[in-house]
């Protein structure tokens, strides 16, 4: 069967629409399945060459109990909890705790220097990040 040029354009349109539907489905699927690490940042004070004192709320304290690594200046450092002073501050119905972490920071920090500690308490999906940006949160 011989087709004229204007009759062949219907096949091209069908394949373009099919490809676009497949591509949009692939983008939505990958956005829902991809997870991104959401880091939290807290500041602490170096109390010695191997110890940092931080003040955290109850939710962050539970994260520190479960994990053994934090990020300091882009480097992954192993830590252990030396001691915890519970409920030193109550602000807006949240309890805050004072934690002393044993971390080797002797190369960069001295006593009473501020140390920025980052940790990731949870991973979020790319789709939820997109929705937050869309809403303007």
């Amino acid at each position: 069967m011989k087709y004229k040029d204007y009759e062949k354009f219907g096949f091209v349109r069908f394949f373009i629409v099919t490809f676009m539907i497949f591509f949009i489905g692939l983008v939505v699927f990958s956005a829902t399945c991809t997870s991104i690490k959401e880091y939290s940042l807290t500041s602490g004070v170096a109390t010695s060459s191997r110890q940092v004192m931080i003040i955290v709320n109850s939710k962050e304290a539970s994260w520190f109990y479960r994990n053994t690594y934090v990020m300091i200046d882009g480097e992954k450092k192993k830590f252990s909890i030396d001691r915890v002073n519970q409920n030193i501050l109550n602000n807006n119905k949240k309890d805050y705790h004072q934690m002393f972490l044993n971390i080797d920071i002797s190369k960069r920090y001295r006593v009473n220097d501020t140390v920025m500690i980052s940790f990731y308490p949870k991973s979020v999906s790319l789709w939820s990040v997109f929705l937050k940006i869309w809403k303007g949160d």
Side-chain angles (χ1 to χ4, degrees), residues 39 69-78 103-105 107-109 116-118:
Y39 284 87
Y69 289 99
V70 293
M71 299 286 283
I72 297 176
D73 296 331
E75 295 178 14
K76 190 175 181 180
K77 301 268 188 175
K78 189 169 183 156
I103 305 173
D104 185 24
I105 56 168
K107 296 176 184 171
R108 294 192 180 173
Y109 298 101
M116 299 305 290
I117 298 173
S118 59

Side-chain angles (χ1 to χ4, degrees), residues 4-114:
K4 298 192 182 208
D5 290 338
Y6 66 88
E7 293 175 337
K8 292 179 186 176
F9 191 68
F11 292 118
V12 173
R13 205 177 310 163
F14 172 75
F15 286 120
I16 289 174
V17 169
T18 305
F19 176 75
M20 292 299 289
I21 290 172
F22 175 74
F23 182 72
I24 291 171
L26 183 66
V27 168
V28 169
F29 177 74
S30 67
T32 55
C33 293
T34 304
S35 64
I36 298 172
K37 294 178 181 176
E38 182 179 292
Y39 284 87
S40 295
L41 190 66
T42 186
S43 61
V45 176
T47 56
S48 71
S49 64
R50 297 194 183 274
Q51 193 173 63
V52 176
M53 185 272 302
I54 60 172
I55 295 180
V56 293
N57 60 21
S58 298
K59 191 173 185 180
E60 292 170 347
S62 68
W63 184 90
F64 279 101
Y65 287 129
R66 289 187 315 244
N67 293 291
T68 58
Y69 289 99
V70 293
M71 299 286 283
I72 297 176
D73 296 331
E75 295 178 14
K76 190 175 181 180
K77 301 268 188 175
K78 189 169 183 156
F79 75 92
S80 63
I81 299 173
D82 183 33
R83 63 184 185 274
V84 177
N85 295 331
Q86 299 279 335
N87 302 328
I88 62 163
L89 179 66
N90 189 340
N91 190 9
N92 294 334
K93 297 181 181 179
K94 284 187 178 179
D95 292 327
Y96 290 90
H97 315 290
Q98 183 181 28
M99 297 181 85
F100 290 90
L101 306 177
N102 291 331
I103 305 173
D104 185 24
I105 56 168
S106 61
K107 296 176 184 171
R108 294 192 180 173
Y109 298 101
R110 292 183 287 178
V111 176
N112 292 331
D113 281 350
T114 302

